[in-house]
């Protein structure tokens, strides 16, 4: 079957490449037109008591849920108890108070709770809850925060934003910046490694092509999935990490075997034989990865479900491109796969004749000659390395995952130290006789 698939791809290589190109164009269109709905939460089970209380407060009272917390620093010499302070704070909150997506703000004046005022009286804060089902996107959240901060500045106040919506927006930016930094470093280093392994620029570029296309396609599918269900913002990290790793891994196997077969066969025959051997191994490897990631579905945590789904999606994309586009490109390149060989690596540019002299050949034979001698100590080592899993303690993510320089994290720290135990993550309690609105505590 794999041999026949290799012959088919070789025969219809241009059509296969065209279909892959159209898929990537469509993926690019999805990424450019769809605004993803990612969340930094989801690390609590839907059956957890705190989650059930949150949902009860939201549905029964129309309050609670995602929030914004605005911390206002007052000018020197002015106190939160001054009559003019309330007017200034109300003016600063006007942009969000007039937004239909939010409930009216909770402040020290609307609740009569003096815990909204700092211990030195020089700062106060407000909590604003989004209405059920109307929480703004991270981009819209940033726009609202800027509007409130500008309005506060016009009143002589300094505003800082916290709360779950602000934290989520900050996490999104942290993830984006992290991905940019990782790609800036990882891709050049990976290309250098591949050039050293293959000895030619053309062969080294193919794994990056497969990995890159797998990432683009998987991110597009993730954007679509975020419109119909919960998706963690960290799913994007899973896609880039696994997409690049699996794309390169699978391509390494296939390109290496293809170049070996190309020394004694035509490009079409070499691809067919490569698919019949390495292609089969790649498919079963991918299926194994998918089954492993599917185990995340047994945990009652939406975020883990999302991470598992992201891993499965990108693995499928890597398999699709690795078993279709890659062999098509190999046939189209033919002997040009060995073009632009490095001077010190010409022996590896498809002209090797003494594989037995290689280090890996010697290691493989040593392992096969004494399998138990290698298996037992390596198994013990793996068990020791995996032993920390026995003490694994999963906790929900929060502001502590942000750097201390992040504004939302600074708001949390200040509320915890300056407001007598207040928090930027308000909690709710519900009972049959308590219908009071939730406040920070």
């Amino acid at each position: 079957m794999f041999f026949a698939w290799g012959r088919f791809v070789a025969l219809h290589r241009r059509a296969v490449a065209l279909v892959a190109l159209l898929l990537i164009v469509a993926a690019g269109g999805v990424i450019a037109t769809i605004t993803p709905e990612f969340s930094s939460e989801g690390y609590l089970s839907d059956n957890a008591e705190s989650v059930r209380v949150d949902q009860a407060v939201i549905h029964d009272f129309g309050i609670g849920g995602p929030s914004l917390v605005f911390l206002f620093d007052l000018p020197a010499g002015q106190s939160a108890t001054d009559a003019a302070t309330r007017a200034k704070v109300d003016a600063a909150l006007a942009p969000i108070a007039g937004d239909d997506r939010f409930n009216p703000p909770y402040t020290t004046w609307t609740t009569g709770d003096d815990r909204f005022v700092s211990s030195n009286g020089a700062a106060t804060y407000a909590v604003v809850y989004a209405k059920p089902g109307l929480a703004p996107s991270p981009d819209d959240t940033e726009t609202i925060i800027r509007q409130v901060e500008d309005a506060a500045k016009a009143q002589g106040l300094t505003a800082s934003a916290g709360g779950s919506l602000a934290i989520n927006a900050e996490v999104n930016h942290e993830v984006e910046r992290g991905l940019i930094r990782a790609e800036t470093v990882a891709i050049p280093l990976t290309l250098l490694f591949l050039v050293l392994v293959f000895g030619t620029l053309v062969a080294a570029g193919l794994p990056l092509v497969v990995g890159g296309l797998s990432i683009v396609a998987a991110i597009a599918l993730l954007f679509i999935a975020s419109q119909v269900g919960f998706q963690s913002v960290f799913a994007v990290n899973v896609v880039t990490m696994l997409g690049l790793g699996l794309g390169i891994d699978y391509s390494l196997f296939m390109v290496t075997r293809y170049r070996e077969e190309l020394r004694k066969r035509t490009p079409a025959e070499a691809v067919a034989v490569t698919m019949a051997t390495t292609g089969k191994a790649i498919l079963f490897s991918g299926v194994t990865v998918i089954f492993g990631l599917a185990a995340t579905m047994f945990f009652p945590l939406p975020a883990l479900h999302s991470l598992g789904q992201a891993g499965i999606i990108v693995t499928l994309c890597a398999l699709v491109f690795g078993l279709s586009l890659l062999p098509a490109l190999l046939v189209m390149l033919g002997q040009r796969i060995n073009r632009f060989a490095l001077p010190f690596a010409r022996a590896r540019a498809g002209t090797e004749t003494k594989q037995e002299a290689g280090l890996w050949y010697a290691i493989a034979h040593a392992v096969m000659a004494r399998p138990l001698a290698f298996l037992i100590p390596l198994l013990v080592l793996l068990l020791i390395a995996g032993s920390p899993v026995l003490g694994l303690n999963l906790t929900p993510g929060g502001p502590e995952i942000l750097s201390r320089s992040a504004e939302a994290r600074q708001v949390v720290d200040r509320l915890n130290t300056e407001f007598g135990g207040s928090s930027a993550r308000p909690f709710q309690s519900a009972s049959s006789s308590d219908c009071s609105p939730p406040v920070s505590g």
Side-chain angles (χ1 to χ4, degrees), residues 17-101:
L18 178 60
V19 171
L21 177 62
L22 292 176
L23 288 176
I24 290 303
V25 171
V30 168
I31 294 173
T33 57
I34 291 183
T35 301
E37 299 291 338
F38 293 138
S39 172
S40 62
E41 301 179 348
Y43 291 92
L44 288 175
S45 169
D46 291 337
N47 293 322
E49 182 178 349
S50 60
V51 174
R52 288 189 284 110
V53 169
D54 285 343
Q55 294 302 316
V57 171
I58 291 172
H59 291 110
D60 295 344
F61 303 104
I63 53 180
S67 65
L68 278 173
V69 176
F70 292 99
L71 176 59
F72 297 101
D73 287 302
L74 310 180
Q78 184 174 328
S79 172
T81 58
D82 292 344
T85 301
R86 178 174 186 174
K88 292 182 178 181
V89 170
D90 288 344
L93 292 172
I96 196 169
D99 194 319
D100 292 336
R101 294 171 294 184

Side-chain angles (χ1 to χ4, degrees), residues 142-341:
E142 290 184 340
T143 300
I144 295 168
I145 290 173
R146 284 195 300 270
Q147 291 174 345
V148 172
E149 289 177 343
D150 290 343
K153 185 177 181 181
Q155 297 296 319
L157 306 176
T158 301
S160 303
S164 59
L165 288 172
I167 292 170
N168 193 38
E170 289 264 16
V171 169
N172 272 275
H173 274 299
E174 288 286 350
V175 169
E176 291 174 3
R177 286 191 290 266
L179 290 176
I180 292 173
R181 287 194 300 267
E183 291 166 0
T184 302
V185 175
I187 291 179
L189 289 179
T190 301
L191 180 58
L192 176 61
F193 170 76
L194 291 172
V195 169
L196 294 176
V197 170
F198 286 119
T200 74
L201 292 177
V202 175
L206 288 178
L208 284 179
V209 170
V210 173
L213 295 182
S214 300
I215 291 172
V216 172
I219 287 179
L221 293 174
L222 206 61
F223 276 30
I224 295 173
S226 72
Q227 305 300 303
V228 296
F230 178 90
Q231 289 297 328
S232 171
V233 66
F234 301 109
V236 179
N237 297 74
V238 172
V239 165
T240 55
M241 176 182 65
L242 277 182
L244 192 61
L246 292 177
I248 290 174
D249 188 31
Y250 297 159
S251 301
L252 273 171
F253 290 137
M254 188 164 293
V255 173
T256 300
R257 182 58 185 265
Y258 171 75
R259 293 170 75 196
E260 293 174 355
E261 295 296 333
L262 193 60
R263 294 201 300 270
K264 51 189 176 184
R265 307 179 191 275
T266 64
E269 292 173 344
V271 161
V273 173
T274 298
M275 289 298 297
T277 54
T278 305
K280 183 188 300 184
I282 288 173
L283 177 61
F284 284 104
S285 171
V287 171
T288 301
V289 172
I290 289 172
F291 275 113
L293 291 168
T296 58
M297 302 302 162
F298 291 96
F299 293 88
L301 304 177
L304 285 185
H305 292 176
S306 173
L307 299 182
Q309 292 167 12
I312 291 172
I313 289 172
V314 74
T315 302
L316 287 172
C317 290
L319 287 175
V320 169
F321 287 108
L323 297 177
S324 59
L325 177 62
L326 179 57
L329 292 177
L330 291 175
V331 177
M332 294 169 70
L333 286 171
Q335 293 290 346
R336 287 173 293 183
I337 189 73
N338 297 317
R339 293 281 300 274
F340 306 110

